[in-house]
Amino acid sequence: MSLKHSDEFKRDAVRIALTSGLTRRQVASDLSIGLSTLGKWIASISDETKIPTQDTDLLRENERLRKENRILREE
């Protein structure tokens, strides 16, 4: 039996996956959803809400910096 998630939950999951700096696998695990489910949500929701190119570049840079920061803290 599959659990029906609200649209708000799906949008939040996609936002976390795209901006948190965590891997999709980590986000899916943290939210107790399947990795393929998260991927489908990202594909469908990001089609609905196209992010401007400038914002996409900023999101990627933030993700890179978060990852670098995590690595430095671990060292």
Side-chain angles (χ1 to χ4, degrees):
M1 182 174 161
S2 66
L3 180 63
K4 177 74 172 155
H5 295 286
S6 70
D7 289 339
E8 181 180 6
F9 179 86
K10 292 175 183 180
R11 282 190 302 273
D12 287 343
V14 170
R15 181 185 50 77
I16 292 167
L18 296 177
T19 63
S20 69
L22 299 172
T23 64
R24 289 184 183 182
R25 185 174 306 280
Q26 289 171 313
V27 173
S29 175
D30 290 349
L31 297 175
S32 300
I33 57 175
L35 180 59
S36 62
T37 299
L38 179 60
K40 290 175 189 174
W41 292 352
I42 290 171
S44 69
I45 290 175
S46 56
D47 283 345
E48 295 171 8
T49 57
K50 288 289 184 193
I51 301 172
T53 305
Q54 182 180 9
D55 290 348
T56 304
D57 293 341
L58 289 174
L59 290 173
R60 285 190 186 126
E61 178 68 4
N62 280 339
E63 181 177 344
R64 185 189 68 75
L65 291 171
R66 283 188 181 108
K67 191 177 289 185
E68 182 180 321
N69 194 16
R70 229 183 2 260
I71 291 169
L72 291 172
R73 273 191 251 141
E74 290 174 1
E75 291 176 355

